[in-house]
Amino acid sequence: MGGQVTHGVAIAGCGLIGQKRAKALRGAKVVACADVLRERAEALAHATGATASGDWREIVKRDDVSIVIVATTNDLLAEITIAALAAGKHVLVEKPAARSVAEIDEVIAAQNKSGCLVHVGFNHRYHPALRKAQLLVEQGEAGEMMFVRGRYGHGGRIGYDREWRADPAVAGGGELIDQGVHLIDLARLFVGDFRDVRGYARTYFWDMPVDDNAFMLLTSHAGQTAFLHASSTEWKNLFSFEIYGRTAKLHAEGLGGSYGLERLSFFRMLPEMGPPETTIWEYPGADDSWGLELDEFLDDIAQHRQPAASLADARAALMVVESIYQESRR
Amino acid sequence: MGGQVTHGVAIAGCGLIGQKRAKALRGAKVVACADVLRERAEALAHATGATASGDWREIVKRDDVSIVIVATTNDLLAEITIAALAAGKHVLVEKPAARSVAEIDEVIAAQNKSGCLVHVGFNHRYHPALRKAQLLVEQGEAGEMMFVRGRYGHGGRIGYDREWRADPAVAGGGELIDQGVHLIDLARLFVGDFRDVRGYARTYFWDMPVDDNAFMLLTSHAGQTAFLHASSTEWKNLFSFEIYGRTAKLHAEGLGGSYGLERLSFFRMLPEMGPPETTIWEYPGADDSWGLELDEFLDDIAQHRQPAASLADARAALMVVESIYQESRR
Amino acid sequence: MGGQVTHGVAIAGCGLIGQKRAKALRGAKVVACADVLRERAEALAHATGATASGDWREIVKRDDVSIVIVATTNDLLAEITIAALAAGKHVLVEKPAARSVAEIDEVIAAQNKSGCLVHVGFNHRYHPALRKAQLLVEQGEAGEMMFVRGRYGHGGRIGYDREWRADPAVAGGGELIDQGVHLIDLARLFVGDFRDVRGYARTYFWDMPVDDNAFMLLTSHAGQTAFLHASSTEWKNLFSFEIYGRTAKLHAEGLGGSYGLERLSFFRMLPEMGPPETTIWEYPGADDSWGLELDEFLDDIAQHRQPAASLADARAALMVVESIYQESRR
Amino acid sequence: MGGQVTHGVAIAGCGLIGQKRAKALRGAKVVACADVLRERAEALAHATGATASGDWREIVKRDDVSIVIVATTNDLLAEITIAALAAGKHVLVEKPAARSVAEIDEVIAAQNKSGCLVHVGFNHRYHPALRKAQLLVEQGEAGEMMFVRGRYGHGGRIGYDREWRADPAVAGGGELIDQGVHLIDLARLFVGDFRDVRGYARTYFWDMPVDDNAFMLLTSHAGQTAFLHASSTEWKNLFSFEIYGRTAKLHAEGLGGSYGLERLSFFRMLPEMGPPETTIWEYPGADDSWGLELDEFLDDIAQHRQPAASLADARAALMVVESIYQESRR
């Protein structure tokens, strides 16, 4: 593989997600880490052989950096991405990529000017059950899409309503902009963009000024329905995404760990109808979605190819989010 | 048990449901059966020792009949119920009890005049998993209700779109008025009536002038959400009803047979939060919901007590149904 | 298909199994039925358009009969099979085909003399999960066989110990010769005959002079182990058969109905070991094993081919049964 | 809790199990750690605030130590336990506590002389599903015990046959003495000691001079059967322990992590028999068996009470192990 470029990577935000990204990097090297909690930056720097900093501004412009991973709280995602693009770096920014449509439009403008690539971290697309589902749908195994149904939630933890996700200024919203955008993004993968958005973001349990439950009833341009619910009062961690075509149902469940064993069930209607032909794939191995996503982004860069999960995708998801927040305020 | 009244029962409609009712009768005797398909009436009459007729009018007024079970197609439910009430009979009428609010209002008027009792056959309330769920909620085990989520569907069968359920004049609607009303009724059990009704009834697969999928997003007077989907393109038969309180989740699944083993899962949040304390009850025995429902109705009659599943409940469900049909037509 | 012979079938024994066989016959016609309970013979004759008899001797020699199905209690299986063979008929005899090795040796002698075919009703071989397992093993997907593990049991019913299966003279044994022979037969399919037989037949619960539990520890000629347990005190009906090769595990579970959904799980070891690649096939449809088995037997007859499940297979299973009964008596 | 003794603990063997024990200690303090790999001792010493050593002899006699935890390879378990007892320390020694009956007899002699307590680390007894099962059996919920069935196995990892567990001199045996002793110990909990031991220890897959599969067919003094299989070629990690009484079946499954969610199923026979009343408890939380076991041992010490899992229990399990190794060599 002589001649291959090895990218230097800067990681802004060294919390749980930043650490996962660092660990999942194959074929690129972390050279600099920043976090407002300097100890956190130092711990990750120590583990990766990188330089630590307490300020992201110090790392995004370094000459030895060609890729910036932005894994901060939501309020900094757009700002750091714009700065990195201005410095000529490619960017992997975690979802939701920005707190609002207005904010992401600035990022899109910055990208257009820079010519660099931006991948948005919709990592659920890279889970094996969902990849297999996409493949089966592309191969026509499910027939024309009719609707999708998604349920995604967790039960929080003590003090959850005092964390940054509970602060609208930092997070840009609550459960809808947190786990909800994953459901919206997955739904768009299967039925495309939405012409009609109904739904409610509601606060039932947590003592916080953002929503802890988001119910969505979306209609695609082709008339397909996405029926989605994200919850931070799910009590038993749950991920379930059901995809209905004219000839089959696909059901992705679990994300490993506390979300349960990941599996895809494929229910194929027989010509005589009645009970379907049923095949299930289980994925007991460790979650490799982070690694696959980064590999793909490195390939995108090598081939000057637009990332599959783009700023346009994040913008489309944020359009739904904003619309539901508006409907809920009425 | 000397002195106990043994009721004579007339069954109007001797299809699958009429037969199930006849089989589940304990402590009452079928004396007359009617069906437009006279052979069907004769078969059931033969099995029960009753008299057969091709015309329901002949059986609802008989002196030896004190209870009429109405298990016909939807177009006759109201008409027969009204006739039976006029003849001074108690009535068990299958859901949805009428095709519309206007129609059920006539039944309610007839009942008010007659003083007889009417039980509406929302038999899902009597499934053991849902009874256990109601009991746990009543005992405060789940805390204050926040929302419910229901998914109910089947995959149809060849020619489904040529059956009476596909004819709006006979059925009064499609999947929404068929399986959907069960979900609405169960949701009302846990969160009460709805102040706001959103939803769509859509036709994705079957070649018929009624809906094969109904998506509902309902808000109760107390602000709780019911997020419900009924489908006749579910491909793999499914019944799932999830109930969320502030301190627990209850999940009823399966109805036996092709809907899978019936079970109730109880996820109780611990004070320290994290993974819930989990208890599951499974009900591998035969479905006895029909028998329990009839037993209760016989007790209602004996005690002059209003049935738990009343015409008012059916009316409330039909209000939701009509509202969604109207919203969908817009 | 002009010119195809349509076989006339006589059914001796019109209980549950005889009825299932009659219902599963495709491409052959029941012409005569016999049962010691004449009403039972008449009911099946009525359903199939056949002639009824209270004596099996009257039906096995009929000119219009070319196949005899023997579905009686165990004490008559050999006698009727021998008589049918003497009359020049092909025979499908239910497992265990005889009560002892000595008895089956007489049947084998009769078959050798007659030139007719005998299929032994080891119908579990024809369940889809086990057919799929056999296919995968034949294709080398599991590698060289190491061992199999089988658990099969039911919970009986009130009065079980007063039924014919509890009478050693009629049944030839207890749980071992009843459900146990299925496990032995399946084990032989995967690892061949046994050079060493250990095990116990024990009576723990039922008040009867035969075993209600049989534990088997068998060693094949190639040194593979079969670890098998059959029980009529299983309380929750269970069928589980696990097959271990050097590169994969196959797990067949459930037989439908009260034994639970039938499925085959395929756990394939990856070169890097760790969690296996997992694929599961579920079979929610009705049990068609009876029909497939009869179809194969009709093909065997048409092609003058020895049935796959032969008297030799039944003899091999009975050798294990007798050996364990002897060891248990010591 | 003034006046409570806080024990100083020495840990001999700082591998995976030693680390788990250290982490699970509540109400006692690690003061010294030893491991032949000095770095491993140092890492654990660093994490616990203890002193590190490369030689266990240096730590078992320290004045500030009152409890020694022995978590080394099997060849040192007895030697270190004896030395610790001689120094007047209480000992928690991991299973199997010794490599043979002869070796454990020396330990028992040392304990008798010392008057100190020894707990053997049969931690599976402390898993919540098995504790609940014991409780239900003690309360008579399952009736008189009839038999138990256990399956326990893992799929190894590359190089497994080069690890210490594959060396008979170090491990004292293979899969039987490793996972097998857990099954034997659990079986004894429910049916007591064994009067008859059959079984085989076999090597099917791994290139090693010890067994990778152990099949056991044990008969208790009261005639109950234990039907047990331990495997290091299980491919998909599995723990299953089924307990059959005259009125119920109890099924403990899973140990968390790669062994799957831990659960106990309770199938209670109804007087009318048929499908059982079924209750399932799931334990999604982290495995606390190590902590509970240590808590109990600290209580044992405080109350001068013999530990529930004693050297006598380990000896009884080793008797079965040796008997099967002898039978297998024949």
Side-chain angles (χ1 to χ4, degrees), chain A residues 196 200 202 204 219 223 225 234-235 244-246, chain B residues 196 200 202 204 219 223 225 234-235 244-246:
Chain A
D196 186 72
Y200 299 111
R202 283 170 170 160
Y204 282 126
T219 307
T225 306
E234 184 63 43
W235 303 148
Y244 292 78
R246 289 182 65 86
Chain B
D196 187 71
Y200 298 110
R202 283 170 171 161
Y204 282 127
T219 306
T225 306
E234 183 63 45
W235 303 148
Y244 292 78
R246 289 182 65 86

PDB file of all heavy atoms in Angstrom, chain A residues 196 200 202 204 219 223 225 234-235 244-246, chain B residues 196 200 202 204 219 223 225 234-235 244-246:
ATOM      1  N   ASP A 196     -45.178  15.873   4.212  1.00  0.00           N
ATOM      2  CA  ASP A 196     -46.121  16.220   5.274  1.00  0.00           C
ATOM      3  C   ASP A 196     -45.581  15.715   6.601  1.00  0.00           C
ATOM      4  O   ASP A 196     -45.183  14.556   6.714  1.00  0.00           O
ATOM      5  CB  ASP A 196     -47.475  15.561   4.979  1.00  0.00           C
ATOM      6  CG  ASP A 196     -48.546  16.001   5.952  1.00  0.00           C
ATOM      7  OD1 ASP A 196     -48.986  17.165   5.850  1.00  0.00           O
ATOM      8  OD2 ASP A 196     -48.933  15.192   6.829  1.00  0.00           O
ATOM      9  N   TYR A 200     -45.649  15.360  17.687  1.00  0.00           N
ATOM     10  CA  TYR A 200     -45.566  16.112  18.938  1.00  0.00           C
ATOM     11  C   TYR A 200     -44.275  15.780  19.651  1.00  0.00           C
ATOM     12  O   TYR A 200     -43.878  14.613  19.719  1.00  0.00           O
ATOM     13  CB  TYR A 200     -46.726  15.765  19.867  1.00  0.00           C
ATOM     14  CG  TYR A 200     -48.073  16.091  19.300  1.00  0.00           C
ATOM     15  CD1 TYR A 200     -48.937  15.080  18.933  1.00  0.00           C
ATOM     16  CD2 TYR A 200     -48.465  17.419  19.126  1.00  0.00           C
ATOM     17  CE1 TYR A 200     -50.177  15.376  18.407  1.00  0.00           C
ATOM     18  CE2 TYR A 200     -49.703  17.723  18.590  1.00  0.00           C
ATOM     19  CZ  TYR A 200     -50.563  16.695  18.228  1.00  0.00           C
ATOM     20  OH  TYR A 200     -51.787  16.987  17.695  1.00  0.00           O
ATOM     21  N   ARG A 202     -43.021  16.016  23.407  1.00  0.00           N
ATOM     22  CA  ARG A 202     -43.669  16.233  24.703  1.00  0.00           C
ATOM     23  C   ARG A 202     -42.719  15.921  25.863  1.00  0.00           C
ATOM     24  O   ARG A 202     -41.779  15.143  25.705  1.00  0.00           O
ATOM     25  CB  ARG A 202     -44.913  15.350  24.817  1.00  0.00           C
ATOM     26  CG  ARG A 202     -46.043  15.960  23.997  1.00  0.00           C
ATOM     27  CD  ARG A 202     -47.232  15.074  23.848  1.00  0.00           C
ATOM     28  NE  ARG A 202     -48.313  15.866  23.265  1.00  0.00           N
ATOM     29  CZ  ARG A 202     -49.377  15.376  22.645  1.00  0.00           C
ATOM     30  NH1 ARG A 202     -49.530  14.080  22.527  1.00  0.00           N
ATOM     31  NH2 ARG A 202     -50.304  16.174  22.150  1.00  0.00           N
ATOM     32  N   TYR A 204     -42.860  14.386  29.487  1.00  0.00           N
ATOM     33  CA  TYR A 204     -43.736  13.676  30.412  1.00  0.00           C
ATOM     34  C   TYR A 204     -43.103  13.431  31.773  1.00  0.00           C
ATOM     35  O   TYR A 204     -43.787  13.356  32.766  1.00  0.00           O
ATOM     36  CB  TYR A 204     -44.129  12.319  29.826  1.00  0.00           C
ATOM     37  CG  TYR A 204     -45.203  12.398  28.774  1.00  0.00           C
ATOM     38  CD1 TYR A 204     -45.028  11.834  27.517  1.00  0.00           C
ATOM     39  CD2 TYR A 204     -46.411  13.050  29.044  1.00  0.00           C
ATOM     40  CE1 TYR A 204     -46.023  11.895  26.556  1.00  0.00           C
ATOM     41  CE2 TYR A 204     -47.409  13.127  28.087  1.00  0.00           C
ATOM     42  CZ  TYR A 204     -47.214  12.546  26.846  1.00  0.00           C
ATOM     43  OH  TYR A 204     -48.198  12.626  25.921  1.00  0.00           O
ATOM     44  N   THR A 219     -45.326  11.783   6.099  1.00  0.00           N
ATOM     45  CA  THR A 219     -45.749  11.246   4.805  1.00  0.00           C
ATOM     46  C   THR A 219     -44.734  11.639   3.744  1.00  0.00           C
ATOM     47  O   THR A 219     -44.407  12.822   3.580  1.00  0.00           O
ATOM     48  CB  THR A 219     -47.130  11.818   4.420  1.00  0.00           C
ATOM     49  OG1 THR A 219     -48.042  11.579   5.503  1.00  0.00           O
ATOM     50  CG2 THR A 219     -47.656  11.166   3.159  1.00  0.00           C
ATOM     51  N   GLY A 223     -46.163   9.240  -0.764  1.00  0.00           N
ATOM     52  CA  GLY A 223     -47.329   8.863   0.027  1.00  0.00           C
ATOM     53  C   GLY A 223     -47.058   7.789   1.074  1.00  0.00           C
ATOM     54  O   GLY A 223     -47.967   7.366   1.785  1.00  0.00           O
ATOM     55  N   THR A 225     -45.724   6.219   4.614  1.00  0.00           N
ATOM     56  CA  THR A 225     -45.808   6.732   5.975  1.00  0.00           C
ATOM     57  C   THR A 225     -44.571   6.335   6.778  1.00  0.00           C
ATOM     58  O   THR A 225     -44.086   5.209   6.650  1.00  0.00           O
ATOM     59  CB  THR A 225     -47.050   6.146   6.681  1.00  0.00           C
ATOM     60  OG1 THR A 225     -48.202   6.420   5.881  1.00  0.00           O
ATOM     61  CG2 THR A 225     -47.235   6.752   8.070  1.00  0.00           C
ATOM     62  N   GLU A 234     -38.275   5.312  28.062  1.00  0.00           N
ATOM     63  CA  GLU A 234     -38.604   3.991  27.505  1.00  0.00           C
ATOM     64  C   GLU A 234     -38.455   2.908  28.566  1.00  0.00           C
ATOM     65  O   GLU A 234     -38.923   1.795  28.412  1.00  0.00           O
ATOM     66  CB  GLU A 234     -37.688   3.739  26.295  1.00  0.00           C
ATOM     67  CG  GLU A 234     -37.937   2.459  25.535  1.00  0.00           C
ATOM     68  CD  GLU A 234     -39.309   2.369  24.883  1.00  0.00           C
ATOM     69  OE1 GLU A 234     -39.779   3.359  24.292  1.00  0.00           O
ATOM     70  OE2 GLU A 234     -39.945   1.305  25.003  1.00  0.00           O
ATOM     71  N   TRP A 235     -37.761   3.194  29.626  1.00  0.00           N
ATOM     72  CA  TRP A 235     -37.523   2.303  30.791  1.00  0.00           C
ATOM     73  C   TRP A 235     -36.690   1.070  30.442  1.00  0.00           C
ATOM     74  O   TRP A 235     -35.718   0.765  31.132  1.00  0.00           O
ATOM     75  CB  TRP A 235     -38.816   1.914  31.504  1.00  0.00           C
ATOM     76  CG  TRP A 235     -39.610   3.099  31.969  1.00  0.00           C
ATOM     77  CD1 TRP A 235     -40.962   3.198  32.065  1.00  0.00           C
ATOM     78  CD2 TRP A 235     -39.113   4.373  32.432  1.00  0.00           C
ATOM     79  NE1 TRP A 235     -41.346   4.444  32.529  1.00  0.00           N
ATOM     80  CE2 TRP A 235     -40.211   5.187  32.755  1.00  0.00           C
ATOM     81  CE3 TRP A 235     -37.850   4.939  32.576  1.00  0.00           C
ATOM     82  CZ2 TRP A 235     -40.108   6.500  33.222  1.00  0.00           C
ATOM     83  CZ3 TRP A 235     -37.722   6.247  33.038  1.00  0.00           C
ATOM     84  CH2 TRP A 235     -38.844   7.003  33.356  1.00  0.00           C
ATOM     85  N   TYR A 244     -41.775  -2.012   5.689  1.00  0.00           N
ATOM     86  CA  TYR A 244     -42.802  -2.802   5.014  1.00  0.00           C
ATOM     87  C   TYR A 244     -42.812  -2.509   3.527  1.00  0.00           C
ATOM     88  O   TYR A 244     -43.062  -1.374   3.107  1.00  0.00           O
ATOM     89  CB  TYR A 244     -44.186  -2.480   5.590  1.00  0.00           C
ATOM     90  CG  TYR A 244     -44.329  -2.951   7.014  1.00  0.00           C
ATOM     91  CD1 TYR A 244     -43.764  -2.232   8.067  1.00  0.00           C
ATOM     92  CD2 TYR A 244     -44.992  -4.138   7.314  1.00  0.00           C
ATOM     93  CE1 TYR A 244     -43.869  -2.674   9.378  1.00  0.00           C
ATOM     94  CE2 TYR A 244     -45.103  -4.581   8.628  1.00  0.00           C
ATOM     95  CZ  TYR A 244     -44.536  -3.851   9.645  1.00  0.00           C
ATOM     96  OH  TYR A 244     -44.630  -4.297  10.941  1.00  0.00           O
ATOM     97  N   GLY A 245     -42.555  -3.542   2.744  1.00  0.00           N
ATOM     98  CA  GLY A 245     -42.724  -3.448   1.310  1.00  0.00           C
ATOM     99  C   GLY A 245     -43.943  -4.248   0.890  1.00  0.00           C
ATOM    100  O   GLY A 245     -44.573  -4.914   1.719  1.00  0.00           O
ATOM    101  N   ARG A 246     -44.237  -4.209  -0.388  1.00  0.00           N
ATOM    102  CA  ARG A 246     -45.431  -4.919  -0.867  1.00  0.00           C
ATOM    103  C   ARG A 246     -45.284  -6.439  -0.766  1.00  0.00           C
ATOM    104  O   ARG A 246     -46.279  -7.165  -0.800  1.00  0.00           O
ATOM    105  CB  ARG A 246     -45.751  -4.535  -2.315  1.00  0.00           C
ATOM    106  CG  ARG A 246     -46.284  -3.109  -2.439  1.00  0.00           C
ATOM    107  CD  ARG A 246     -46.640  -2.765  -3.876  1.00  0.00           C
ATOM    108  NE  ARG A 246     -47.741  -3.578  -4.379  1.00  0.00           N
ATOM    109  CZ  ARG A 246     -49.022  -3.308  -4.220  1.00  0.00           C
ATOM    110  NH1 ARG A 246     -49.385  -2.212  -3.566  1.00  0.00           N
ATOM    111  NH2 ARG A 246     -49.947  -4.104  -4.714  1.00  0.00           N
TER     112      ARG A 246
ATOM    113  N   ASP B 196     -57.712  15.321  21.168  1.00  0.00           N
ATOM    114  CA  ASP B 196     -57.090  15.674  19.893  1.00  0.00           C
ATOM    115  C   ASP B 196     -56.791  14.397  19.126  1.00  0.00           C
ATOM    116  O   ASP B 196     -56.213  13.454  19.675  1.00  0.00           O
ATOM    117  CB  ASP B 196     -55.780  16.430  20.160  1.00  0.00           C
ATOM    118  CG  ASP B 196     -55.171  16.959  18.885  1.00  0.00           C
ATOM    119  OD1 ASP B 196     -55.734  17.899  18.309  1.00  0.00           O
ATOM    120  OD2 ASP B 196     -54.141  16.393  18.451  1.00  0.00           O
ATOM    121  N   TYR B 200     -54.043   8.973   9.845  1.00  0.00           N
ATOM    122  CA  TYR B 200     -54.353   8.719   8.450  1.00  0.00           C
ATOM    123  C   TYR B 200     -54.816   7.291   8.288  1.00  0.00           C
ATOM    124  O   TYR B 200     -54.244   6.376   8.877  1.00  0.00           O
ATOM    125  CB  TYR B 200     -53.117   8.911   7.568  1.00  0.00           C
ATOM    126  CG  TYR B 200     -52.571  10.308   7.597  1.00  0.00           C
ATOM    127  CD1 TYR B 200     -51.358  10.578   8.208  1.00  0.00           C
ATOM    128  CD2 TYR B 200     -53.283  11.353   7.013  1.00  0.00           C
ATOM    129  CE1 TYR B 200     -50.845  11.863   8.240  1.00  0.00           C
ATOM    130  CE2 TYR B 200     -52.780  12.649   7.045  1.00  0.00           C
ATOM    131  CZ  TYR B 200     -51.565  12.902   7.662  1.00  0.00           C
ATOM    132  OH  TYR B 200     -51.076  14.173   7.694  1.00  0.00           O
ATOM    133  N   ARG B 202     -54.997   4.738   5.252  1.00  0.00           N
ATOM    134  CA  ARG B 202     -54.425   4.677   3.908  1.00  0.00           C
ATOM    135  C   ARG B 202     -54.577   3.293   3.286  1.00  0.00           C
ATOM    136  O   ARG B 202     -54.687   2.299   3.992  1.00  0.00           O
ATOM    137  CB  ARG B 202     -52.943   5.052   3.968  1.00  0.00           C
ATOM    138  CG  ARG B 202     -52.794   6.557   4.109  1.00  0.00           C
ATOM    139  CD  ARG B 202     -51.416   7.024   4.413  1.00  0.00           C
ATOM    140  NE  ARG B 202     -51.391   8.487   4.292  1.00  0.00           N
ATOM    141  CZ  ARG B 202     -50.475   9.282   4.817  1.00  0.00           C
ATOM    142  NH1 ARG B 202     -49.474   8.775   5.506  1.00  0.00           N
ATOM    143  NH2 ARG B 202     -50.536  10.580   4.653  1.00  0.00           N
ATOM    144  N   TYR B 204     -52.573   0.869   0.892  1.00  0.00           N
ATOM    145  CA  TYR B 204     -51.276   0.680   0.259  1.00  0.00           C
ATOM    146  C   TYR B 204     -51.209  -0.544  -0.637  1.00  0.00           C
ATOM    147  O   TYR B 204     -50.471  -0.580  -1.590  1.00  0.00           O
ATOM    148  CB  TYR B 204     -50.183   0.545   1.326  1.00  0.00           C
ATOM    149  CG  TYR B 204     -49.763   1.857   1.929  1.00  0.00           C
ATOM    150  CD1 TYR B 204     -49.769   2.042   3.308  1.00  0.00           C
ATOM    151  CD2 TYR B 204     -49.343   2.917   1.124  1.00  0.00           C
ATOM    152  CE1 TYR B 204     -49.365   3.245   3.872  1.00  0.00           C
ATOM    153  CE2 TYR B 204     -48.942   4.117   1.687  1.00  0.00           C
ATOM    154  CZ  TYR B 204     -48.951   4.279   3.051  1.00  0.00           C
ATOM    155  OH  TYR B 204     -48.560   5.469   3.583  1.00  0.00           O
ATOM    156  N   THR B 219     -54.291  12.404  21.491  1.00  0.00           N
ATOM    157  CA  THR B 219     -53.915  13.053  22.757  1.00  0.00           C
ATOM    158  C   THR B 219     -55.108  13.035  23.699  1.00  0.00           C
ATOM    159  O   THR B 219     -56.195  13.490  23.338  1.00  0.00           O
ATOM    160  CB  THR B 219     -53.487  14.508  22.503  1.00  0.00           C
ATOM    161  OG1 THR B 219     -52.469  14.518  21.509  1.00  0.00           O
ATOM    162  CG2 THR B 219     -52.948  15.146  23.786  1.00  0.00           C
ATOM    163  N   GLY B 223     -53.462  14.969  28.352  1.00  0.00           N
ATOM    164  CA  GLY B 223     -52.235  15.219  27.608  1.00  0.00           C
ATOM    165  C   GLY B 223     -51.430  13.963  27.289  1.00  0.00           C
ATOM    166  O   GLY B 223     -50.349  14.045  26.696  1.00  0.00           O
ATOM    167  N   THR B 225     -50.400  10.519  25.312  1.00  0.00           N
ATOM    168  CA  THR B 225     -50.412  10.197  23.896  1.00  0.00           C
ATOM    169  C   THR B 225     -50.770   8.728  23.677  1.00  0.00           C
ATOM    170  O   THR B 225     -50.321   7.868  24.418  1.00  0.00           O
ATOM    171  CB  THR B 225     -49.016  10.447  23.287  1.00  0.00           C
ATOM    172  OG1 THR B 225     -48.616  11.779  23.587  1.00  0.00           O
ATOM    173  CG2 THR B 225     -49.016  10.245  21.784  1.00  0.00           C
ATOM    174  N   GLU B 234     -49.515  -6.431   7.466  1.00  0.00           N
ATOM    175  CA  GLU B 234     -48.486  -6.598   8.492  1.00  0.00           C
ATOM    176  C   GLU B 234     -47.569  -7.784   8.163  1.00  0.00           C
ATOM    177  O   GLU B 234     -46.494  -7.941   8.732  1.00  0.00           O
ATOM    178  CB  GLU B 234     -49.184  -6.802   9.853  1.00  0.00           C
ATOM    179  CG  GLU B 234     -48.283  -6.913  11.047  1.00  0.00           C
ATOM    180  CD  GLU B 234     -47.454  -5.669  11.335  1.00  0.00           C
ATOM    181  OE1 GLU B 234     -47.970  -4.548  11.292  1.00  0.00           O
ATOM    182  OE2 GLU B 234     -46.236  -5.832  11.587  1.00  0.00           O
ATOM    183  N   TRP B 235     -47.997  -8.641   7.274  1.00  0.00           N
ATOM    184  CA  TRP B 235     -47.257  -9.825   6.762  1.00  0.00           C
ATOM    185  C   TRP B 235     -47.018 -10.887   7.833  1.00  0.00           C
ATOM    186  O   TRP B 235     -47.306 -12.062   7.603  1.00  0.00           O
ATOM    187  CB  TRP B 235     -45.959  -9.433   6.050  1.00  0.00           C
ATOM    188  CG  TRP B 235     -46.175  -8.472   4.896  1.00  0.00           C
ATOM    189  CD1 TRP B 235     -45.327  -7.499   4.458  1.00  0.00           C
ATOM    190  CD2 TRP B 235     -47.318  -8.389   4.028  1.00  0.00           C
ATOM    191  NE1 TRP B 235     -45.861  -6.816   3.391  1.00  0.00           N
ATOM    192  CE2 TRP B 235     -47.089  -7.333   3.105  1.00  0.00           C
ATOM    193  CE3 TRP B 235     -48.530  -9.067   3.913  1.00  0.00           C
ATOM    194  CZ2 TRP B 235     -47.993  -6.963   2.114  1.00  0.00           C
ATOM    195  CZ3 TRP B 235     -49.456  -8.703   2.936  1.00  0.00           C
ATOM    196  CH2 TRP B 235     -49.170  -7.669   2.066  1.00  0.00           C
ATOM    197  N   TYR B 244     -46.966   2.936  29.202  1.00  0.00           N
ATOM    198  CA  TYR B 244     -45.874   3.585  29.923  1.00  0.00           C
ATOM    199  C   TYR B 244     -46.401   4.460  31.044  1.00  0.00           C
ATOM    200  O   TYR B 244     -47.137   5.424  30.799  1.00  0.00           O
ATOM    201  CB  TYR B 244     -45.047   4.461  28.967  1.00  0.00           C
ATOM    202  CG  TYR B 244     -44.289   3.640  27.949  1.00  0.00           C
ATOM    203  CD1 TYR B 244     -44.951   3.110  26.841  1.00  0.00           C
ATOM    204  CD2 TYR B 244     -42.943   3.362  28.115  1.00  0.00           C
ATOM    205  CE1 TYR B 244     -44.275   2.322  25.923  1.00  0.00           C
ATOM    206  CE2 TYR B 244     -42.260   2.581  27.195  1.00  0.00           C
ATOM    207  CZ  TYR B 244     -42.931   2.069  26.102  1.00  0.00           C
ATOM    208  OH  TYR B 244     -42.266   1.282  25.195  1.00  0.00           O
ATOM    209  N   GLY B 245     -46.015   4.106  32.262  1.00  0.00           N
ATOM    210  CA  GLY B 245     -46.293   4.958  33.405  1.00  0.00           C
ATOM    211  C   GLY B 245     -44.999   5.606  33.869  1.00  0.00           C
ATOM    212  O   GLY B 245     -43.925   5.318  33.344  1.00  0.00           O
ATOM    213  N   ARG B 246     -45.114   6.459  34.853  1.00  0.00           N
ATOM    214  CA  ARG B 246     -43.919   7.161  35.337  1.00  0.00           C
ATOM    215  C   ARG B 246     -42.922   6.225  36.008  1.00  0.00           C
ATOM    216  O   ARG B 246     -41.747   6.557  36.138  1.00  0.00           O
ATOM    217  CB  ARG B 246     -44.310   8.275  36.319  1.00  0.00           C
ATOM    218  CG  ARG B 246     -44.990   9.462  35.630  1.00  0.00           C
ATOM    219  CD  ARG B 246     -45.311  10.577  36.625  1.00  0.00           C
ATOM    220  NE  ARG B 246     -44.102  11.159  37.187  1.00  0.00           N
ATOM    221  CZ  ARG B 246     -43.404  12.145  36.640  1.00  0.00           C
ATOM    222  NH1 ARG B 246     -43.800  12.688  35.501  1.00  0.00           N
ATOM    223  NH2 ARG B 246     -42.325  12.595  37.232  1.00  0.00           N
TER     224      ARG B 246
END
